Amino acid sequence: MLNIIWAGIILLSIIIAVFTGRLEAVAAAAVNGATDAVTLSIELLGIMCLWNGLMTIAEKSKLVEKFSACLRPVFKLLFPGLDPKGKSAGCILLNMTANFLGLGNAATPLGLQAMRSLHNDSGGSSIATRHMIMFVVLNTASFQLIPTTVISLRATNGSAAASEIILPVWIASAIAIIFGICAVKLFEKPERNVNKR
């Protein structure tokens, strides 16, 4: 669906450019945009390597596991009936930890693995369970201690105080998580075929 939307936007912009006599400007913007995208990717690569390296050190030193253990009481409240020592719980806790540390790239594979595990826990049902829905909400509205990607984007674009967005990000993330959790709890229905461990 997104491919259709993007294709439609591109086609519409070309048609408008033809009728307004700005086709050359659209072509120049396309070339400049592609060049800027490559430059930005290379600039972000260093930051991502740094934080992924720190995440690897945190994993090797068992810091991630210790932080995940701190999240277990909250986990039990958000995912009642899910085994806190099971595979699904482990993947969810590691995903939440990686998101908390601002490592979205490291969190993505863990999130996919957690969703697969939750799908297996549901017996392969095509209907999302309340645990799946809660996980998607938490993953989407994840609280980030250090929003590294946004800070690095601001720094590469010449921001004088790239890290000044940390407090607004904390506030927005906290509000999003609270409302997301409340919405899931408000609309969730009891499940009959959920594996209780």
Side-chain angles (χ1 to χ4, degrees):
M1 185 65 183
L2 281 176
N3 289 340
I4 294 170
I5 292 171
W6 283 113
I9 291 171
I10 292 168
L11 185 61
L12 184 62
S13 64
I14 291 171
I15 291 170
I16 291 171
V18 167
F19 284 111
T20 58
R22 296 185 171 201
L23 193 56
E24 289 180 16
V26 170
V31 172
N32 291 336
T35 304
D36 292 343
V38 172
T39 304
L40 180 61
S41 298
I42 292 170
E43 289 172 346
L44 286 175
L45 184 62
I47 298 288
M48 296 312 295
C49 288
L50 169 68
W51 286 107
N52 282 330
L54 289 175
M55 183 65 174
T56 302
I57 292 168
E59 284 176 322
K60 300 275 185 190
S61 65
K62 307 292 185 188
L63 183 64
V64 173
E65 288 180 19
K66 289 175 185 173
F67 187 76
S68 295
C70 294
L71 291 176
R72 285 192 194 279
V74 176
F75 178 87
K76 288 179 183 178
L77 291 173
L78 297 176
F79 297 93
L82 191 64
D83 181 11
K85 295 183 180 178
K87 182 180 178 183
S88 298
C91 292
I92 290 170
L93 286 168
L94 286 174
N95 173 273
M96 289 169 65
T97 302
N99 276 327
F100 181 77
L101 296 173
L103 303 171
N105 287 352
T108 300
L110 292 167
L112 293 172
Q113 192 175 354
M115 196 55 84
R116 281 191 209 100
S117 185
L118 288 170
H119 179 69
N120 292 337
D121 288 350
S122 72
S125 172
S126 60
I127 298 171
T129 65
R130 63 182 173 179
H131 295 142
M132 289 177 172
I133 295 167
M134 179 63 78
F135 174 65
V136 168
V137 167
L138 290 175
N139 192 45
T140 304
S142 61
F143 185 88
Q144 291 187 6
L145 180 65
I146 304 170
T148 54
T149 305
V150 177
I151 290 172
S152 60
L153 281 170
R154 287 170 54 88
T156 56
N157 286 296
S159 174
S163 61
E164 70 182 3
I165 54 132
I166 290 178
L167 183 60
V169 166
W170 288 352
I171 294 168
S173 297
I175 291 170
I177 287 172
I178 290 167
F179 276 95
I181 291 170
C182 290
V184 172
K185 292 295 184 184
L186 181 66
F187 293 109
E188 77 178 1
K189 296 178 182 177
E191 294 175 353
R192 296 175 186 171
N193 298 322
V194 176
N195 292 338
K196 304 275 184 185
R197 293 184 181 181

